[in-house]
Amino acid sequence: MLTSAAVVGAGLMGRRIAGVLAGGGLAVTLTDTRAEILPAACAEAESIAGGTVLPATRLAAAVEGADLVIEAVVEDLAVKQDLFVRLTALAPHAILATNTSVLPVSAIASAVEDASRIVGTHWWNPPDLIPGVEVVLGERTDRAVAARVIDLLSALGKLPVLVEKDVPGFVGNRLQHALWREAIALVAEGVADASTVDLVVRNTIGLRLARMGPLENADYVGLDLTLAIHDAVLPGLNRDTEPSTLLREHVAAGRLGAKSGSGFLDWPPGSRDSAASGLAAHVRRQLA
Ligand SMILES: NC(=O)c1ccc[n+]([C@@H]2O[C@H](COP(=O)([O-])OP(=O)(O)OC[C@H]3O[C@@H](n4cnc5c(N)ncnc54)[C@H](O)[C@@H]3O)[C@@H](O)[C@H]2O)c1
């Protein structure tokens, strides 16, 4: 049984993952290279579901004796590779999990000699609310390790799913970014403006997706109809293998979205916080 855990990276995801683990009764430590954020991060973690989350300023102290280490540091392959080499030495018996959104688990574990205990656990934001967690088998992950992680996540009230192949983006982010690529292309091509594209998604497919996934929906409408639609629509869909020029232009101009005041949409002061609380309230209502 996994009874103790360390979370490395106390940002948006790490602190709330730590809170879920502590709420489930595990002994949890939280560490970050920015030691100054740890007090607030631990307090936020503890506010989620009770339990205690202890701060640790040094990696070695944080992971010592832990049964499970979850990495939630910056999405940078070299940083994660270096961290996992250190973790295998510092926590020789722990299951080592990465919360990467899109990087292959096998690439993160590539510099480690024995990668059998390295596994992907892709939580979604906010991790204390979103039930689904993708548990990803790297090329060298021991299936028994993934099974133990799945058992723990289930006991924590999560809905873990096993992803058999370590492809970039796993299942959820491949689907999500196929949609985002098309959404950006529709704006770039002048088919509709950004707020119209979002309005259509939220008030059509968005309303259905939490109830009926795309494959059930294809069966539901009939695969003959799905085939006819694909014959007609697939040739016109965006298939760029590079990020869109429009996206690059926004980033180059400093239009980074909510954090800079504008992106595809305008973000006046305070609107990012209200979007976050509105999203959390919506997810809570749907789950209820
Ligand atoms: N934000 C999301 O919606 C989301 C969702 C799912 C997965 N993820 C993934 O989770 C991970 C963390 O994302 P986030 O949004 O919490 O990022 P974040 O920037 O909020 O937090 C990352 C934290 O890691 C710390 N850090 C960086 N290098 C470190 C190191 N070597 N050792 C210890 N701490 C270090 C930083 O100081 C920072 O506090 C990323 O891999 C990201 O792709 C993010």
Side-chain angles (χ1 to χ4, degrees):
M1 215 168 82
L2 305 173
T3 59
S4 61
V7 178
V8 183
L12 183 72
M13 295 298 289
R15 62 182 64 189
R16 299 190 84 84
I17 292 171
V20 174
L21 296 168
L26 278 81
V28 180
T29 57
L30 182 58
T31 188
D32 197 287
T33 42
R34 291 185 298 153
E36 68 279 8
I37 71 168
L38 287 173
C42 288
E44 187 176 332
E46 290 177 349
S47 73
I48 287 171
T52 304
V53 176
L54 295 176
T57 50
R58 293 177 57 83
L59 182 66
V63 304
E64 189 186 3
D67 296 328
L68 170 68
V69 179
I70 297 184
E71 167 276 311
V73 307
V74 59
E75 187 81 332
D76 178 313
L77 180 60
V79 171
K80 290 190 195 282
Q81 284 172 330
D82 173 63
L83 183 60
F84 275 83
V85 169
R86 291 162 66 205
L87 288 174
T88 45
L90 292 171
H93 305 296
I95 290 177
L96 305 176
T98 172
N99 188 49
T100 178
S101 305
V102 292
L103 299 171
V105 176
S106 309
I108 291 172
S110 62
V112 172
E113 200 177 315
D114 175 10
S116 60
R117 60 194 170 100
I118 299 181
V119 65
T121 52
H122 179 221
W123 302 60
W124 288 72
N125 183 43
D128 46 308
L129 293 181
I130 303 281
V133 180
E134 294 170 278
V135 177
V136 183
L137 289 171
E139 284 161 16
R140 294 187 286 160
T141 309
D142 183 345
R143 279 181 176 270
V145 166
R148 291 181 71 195
V149 171
I150 285 174
D151 286 347
L152 173 70
L153 289 165
S154 302
L156 293 170
K158 292 288 161 190
L159 192 71
V161 296
L162 184 67
V163 180
E164 296 275 349
K165 263 197 188 172
D166 189 17
V167 291
F170 318 125
V171 174
N173 267 327
R174 288 177 88 89
L175 292 166
Q176 175 166 241
H177 288 281
L179 178 64
W180 290 20
R181 176 176 64 183
E182 188 59 40
I184 294 170
L186 288 167
V187 174
E189 289 162 19
V191 177
D193 64 16
S195 56
T196 304
V197 170
D198 276 5
L199 193 123
V200 170
V201 171
R202 287 168 43 218
N203 291 283
T204 60
I205 56 175
L207 282 173
R208 293 201 307 225
L209 277 172
R211 177 68 198 173
M212 191 180 275
L215 301 174
E216 186 186 357
N217 204 337
D219 274 352
Y220 173 72
V221 297
L223 295 187
D224 48 346
L225 174 60
T226 302
L227 178 60
I229 290 172
H230 278 203
D231 264 338
V233 80
L234 292 194
L237 293 185
N238 188 277
R239 60 191 66 193
D240 288 349
T241 55
E242 294 272 317
S244 135
T245 305
L246 176 62
L247 177 60
R248 287 197 193 282
E249 283 169 2
H250 279 319
V251 172
R255 293 189 296 271
L256 305 182
K259 62 184 161 190
S260 70
S262 73
F264 290 113
L265 306 167
D266 288 330
W267 291 83
S271 57
R272 189 178 196 280
D273 285 345
S274 51
S277 55
L279 179 61
H282 172 76
V283 172
R284 273 197 195 92
R285 276 197 303 275
Q286 283 203 82
L287 292 174

